[in-house]
Amino acid sequence: MRVYVIFGRDGLATDRFFDEVSHPPVTETVRVKSEGAADGLAESEWPLEERFIRRNDAIPAEAVEISEADRAAIVSAPQFHRWGRTQLTAMAIPASTLAVPPIADRQFARALAPAGSITEAEVEAWVGPGEIPAAMEAALSLIPDAGGQRFGARMMLRGATTFERCHPLTEQLGALLGYDAAALDALWTRAAAL
């Protein structure tokens, strides 16, 4: 399946992915003589085959065709993959990010309360029945809804039992909540001690 994405000027992928399921290509149906078919077989008896002509006109011209593997890499860690002129390049994940251990949902929520990001009541509602705090809902509303990105982020927040510092949503939600990389590292370190 062909997959396309729009990259920003910085080479990082935007949230705009396109594929042949949601944007079927323009094709033509042709008859193709199969290998080993008898020479006397009439063309009208040859099997029909769909041939790709061009991508769907709804896919913007600036969208670049990428492989399924590239798409998976971008989705897993968008901030660490940059598009060059012809290929996706993985960038090194900072050692400080890798050194921070995953934290439990309880630890994450408890660390956010003293920081003033959410209330203690919201901590209890989040860790118990999975109610997302108002500040997190506000941040989620700013995530683009394309390709189910917002829904995926919401489901991660509701159902995750651990949170990883190097997960792409950590950077995205952290920035929306006012945390820079150093503040996120400090939050993770503080949470890991709870």
Side-chain angles (χ1 to χ4, degrees), residues 1-7 16-28 51-67 83:
M1 174 173 61
R2 289 180 171 86
V3 179
Y4 305 88
V5 66
I6 296 176
F7 290 96
R16 299 190 57 205
F17 285 93
F18 306 88
D19 60 41
E20 292 179 332
V21 174
S22 58
H23 297 83
V26 176
T27 61
E28 69 177 349
R51 287 208 178 147
F52 177 85
I53 301 297
R54 68 177 189 279
R55 67 190 195 184
N56 189 306
D57 293 336
I59 299 173
E62 66 270 21
V64 176
E65 184 175 348
I66 60 172
S67 69
W83 184 257

Side-chain angles (χ1 to χ4, degrees), residues 79-80 97 165 167-176 179 181 184:
Q79 73 275 33
F80 299 119
T97 300
R165 174 61 184 87
H167 191 284
L169 282 174
T170 301
E171 293 286 333
Q172 188 175 23
L173 285 171
L176 293 171
Y179 290 86
L184 284 171

Side-chain angles (χ1 to χ4, degrees), residues 2 34 50 66 68 97 125 136 144 146 149 153 155 178:
R2 289 180 171 86
S34 56
E50 288 289 317
I66 60 172
E68 286 282 352
T97 300
M136 299 292 234
Q149 189 177 2
M155 291 301 91

Side-chain angles (χ1 to χ4, degrees), residues 106-188:
R106 170 194 60 80
Q107 292 170 304
F108 184 46
R110 275 192 63 199
L112 287 171
S117 299
I118 61 176
T119 67
E120 288 183 4
E122 287 177 315
V123 168
E124 292 175 14
W126 186 16
V127 173
E131 296 175 21
I132 298 174
M136 299 292 234
E137 280 290 357
L140 285 170
S141 72
L142 299 174
I143 293 176
D145 206 20
Q149 189 177 2
R150 184 181 307 151
F151 178 73
R154 179 173 279 110
M155 291 301 91
M156 187 199 77
L157 286 174
R158 287 192 88 155
T161 56
T162 60
F163 291 88
E164 296 180 16
R165 174 61 184 87
C166 62
H167 191 284
L169 282 174
T170 301
E171 293 286 333
Q172 188 175 23
L173 285 171
L176 293 171
L177 291 169
Y179 290 86
D180 62 13
L184 284 171
D185 288 344
L187 176 75
W188 245 254

